[in-house]
Amino acid sequence: MEKSRVLIIGVTGNLGHHLAKATLQFSHPAFALVRPSSFSDPHKSHKLHSLSNAGVTLLQGSLEDEESLMAAVKQVDVVICAVSSKQVLLQKLLVQVIKKSGCVKRFIPSEFGLDPDKTRISDMDYNFYKQKSEIRRFVEAHGIPYTYISCNFYMSYLLPQLVQPGLKVPPRDKVTIFGDGNTKGVFVKESDVAEFTIRTLDDPQTLNKVLYLRPPGNVYSMNELVELWESKIGKKLEKVFVSEQELLKKIKETPYPDNMEMIFIYSAFVKGDQTYFDIESSGGLDGTKLYPEQNFTTISEYLDTLL
C-alpha cells in the first residue's frame, strides 16, 4: 500500500520536530509548512536544516496565508498540526482550506494533551481547553475526516520536577502532594506520542475517533510517583499535603500565566481529568492497545535519567 503524504505544521516545536522524524521513520513522504521568519532564527533554522537533510520537503507559508496553505495542502493526503496553544484558533483557516482542497483524507489538529471535551476545569483554564474544543466542532461542522490524539501530559512537563510547581529538578528532602495523592495522572514521552500518531495515519479503525494514551507504566498517582522516586534515591521525603481548597486558593492568588502549572496539576491530580472515564464506553479508542509492537518509555525509565 502506498504511504500517505504528510504535511506537518509546527515542525520547529518540540512535538512537531519528533513528528517530522517519525514520519520519515515510517517511510511517509514528509512536508513541512514553515514561516519565512523561522529560517532567520538560529535555533529553528538548525532544526529545519537537519530535517531538510533527512528528507523533509520544506514549504514556506503560515496559518494566516491562505494561498500558501492551499499550495501545501494540495500536495498531501494527511495534515498534522502541532502549533502552540496560543495559535490553536488559527487552525480555522486551515480547516477551510482543507475542505476547499478536497484532497485531504485525514486531519489531526493541534491537541496532544488532555481531551478538551472531558476536562472539568473550563471555568478556570483561561480558555486553554475551550479553544481546542472549538476547533473540534469546527472540523466536524466542515465534515473533515479527523483523528484526535489525547496523550495527556508530555514527560517534559511537570515530571522533571516530580509535579512540584516552581522547581526545575525533583526534590531530595521535602515534597508537596496535592489532594489525597491517590488520583492518577498520565505522562507520555513526546517521541513516543509522535511515533504513535504516525502509526495511525493509514489505519481505518482510527478515523473519526479520539485516541487515548494510557500505557500501564505511565499512569501514576502522586503518592506512587513519590514512592518510586524515594526508592530510586534511597531516601524517604518529608511529605506536605495541600488540600483541594488550599490549592484552589493558591491558584486564585497567583496571577496568570504563573498559575497554569497549578491549574494543570489540579485538573490531573485532584479532579482526575486524565483518568476518571472509561475509554471504550465513552466512544474513544485505547491507543495503547492498538499497536502492541510500540514500546512506550515508562515513568520509571524517565526518572532514571534524572538521578
Side-chain angles (χ1 to χ4, degrees):
M1 192 175 95
E2 201 179 323
K3 297 264 189 167
S4 289
R5 293 160 299 162
V6 181
L7 174 68
I8 299 160
I9 301 171
V11 288
T12 56
N14 194 2
L15 180 68
H17 193 241
H18 285 299
L19 282 165
K21 290 200 286 190
T23 303
L24 295 173
Q25 182 193 328
F26 285 93
S27 307
H28 288 272
F31 299 79
L33 188 75
V34 184
R35 285 175 175 275
S37 60
S38 297
F39 293 95
S40 51
D41 177 312
H43 178 62
K44 288 180 180 177
S45 71
H46 175 71
K47 270 187 176 180
L48 293 170
H49 191 65
S50 73
L51 288 176
S52 175
N53 285 345
V56 177
T57 303
L58 303 181
L59 308 169
Q60 289 205 24
S62 83
L63 282 174
E64 294 149 288
D65 176 22
E66 187 171 353
E67 201 178 321
S68 67
L69 281 178
M70 185 60 83
V73 164
K74 277 190 165 168
Q75 298 184 57
V76 300
D77 310 295
V78 173
V79 177
I80 306 175
C81 201
V83 295
S84 73
S85 58
K86 294 182 182 73
Q87 296 177 289
V88 162
L89 292 181
L90 292 180
Q91 294 175 103
K92 285 189 174 180
L93 180 59
L94 173 63
V95 170
Q96 290 167 328
V97 165
I98 288 171
K99 179 72 175 174
K100 211 182 280 185
S101 77
C103 64
V104 172
K105 295 188 302 193
R106 188 180 308 228
F107 174 48
I108 300 182
S110 194
E111 285 201 10
F112 305 104
L114 280 70
D115 182 338
D117 292 343
K118 296 266 197 295
T119 58
R120 298 166 297 175
I121 54 160
S122 56
D123 55 334
M124 60 189 290
D125 69 351
Y126 302 90
N127 294 328
F128 185 89
Y129 291 115
K130 187 180 169 215
Q131 292 182 352
K132 294 186 176 192
S133 288
E134 194 177 320
I135 291 299
R136 280 190 178 187
R137 304 295 85 82
F138 200 73
V139 167
E140 291 153 14
H142 282 75
I144 288 166
Y146 64 82
T147 299
Y148 302 143
I149 310 281
S150 289
C151 59
N152 299 301
F153 285 147
Y154 297 147
M155 278 188 170
S156 64
Y157 185 71
L158 292 174
L159 196 55
Q161 67 263 40
L162 213 70
V163 197
Q164 303 298 293
L167 289 192
K168 294 277 181 279
V169 294
R172 297 261 173 172
D173 300 302
K174 190 160 92 172
V175 65
T176 302
I177 292 172
F178 299 96
D180 62 10
N182 294 325
T183 305
K184 293 181 189 281
V186 186
F187 294 92
V188 185
K189 196 173 182 183
E190 288 91 324
S191 54
D192 293 342
V193 173
E195 182 184 324
F196 171 78
T197 301
I198 303 307
R199 284 183 190 275
T200 70
L201 300 187
D202 291 325
D203 184 350
Q205 66 184 327
T206 61
L207 195 61
N208 298 329
K209 290 283 184 187
V210 188
L211 307 181
Y212 299 92
L213 289 182
R214 291 183 194 167
N218 300 56
V219 183
Y220 275 71
S221 68
M222 283 204 72
N223 286 332
E224 289 167 338
L225 269 181
V226 170
E227 197 180 319
L228 180 62
W229 180 242
E230 287 175 333
S231 73
K232 289 183 184 297
I233 62 172
K235 180 185 178 186
K236 288 282 179 203
L237 301 178
E238 181 195 335
K239 295 167 188 69
V240 178
F241 284 84
V242 170
S243 70
E244 180 174 350
Q245 287 67 33
E246 287 174 281
L247 179 57
L248 286 170
K249 187 169 178 280
K250 272 188 180 169
I251 288 169
K252 220 174 194 160
E253 290 167 353
T254 308
Y256 173 82
D258 297 343
N259 58 0
M260 285 306 286
E261 262 191 356
M262 289 187 285
I263 289 168
F264 290 133
I265 290 169
Y266 174 70
S267 164
F269 289 102
V270 177
K271 297 290 282 183
D273 282 345
Q274 297 176 335
T275 52
Y276 75 89
F277 56 94
D278 177 75
I279 292 172
E280 270 86 11
S281 65
S282 70
L285 280 182
D286 185 342
T288 321
K289 294 175 184 167
L290 282 180
Y291 313 111
E293 67 275 22
Q294 175 165 356
N295 293 316
F296 289 93
T297 305
T298 65
I299 283 178
S300 179
E301 287 166 343
Y302 180 79
L303 290 183
D304 285 340
T305 68
L306 304 178
L307 290 168

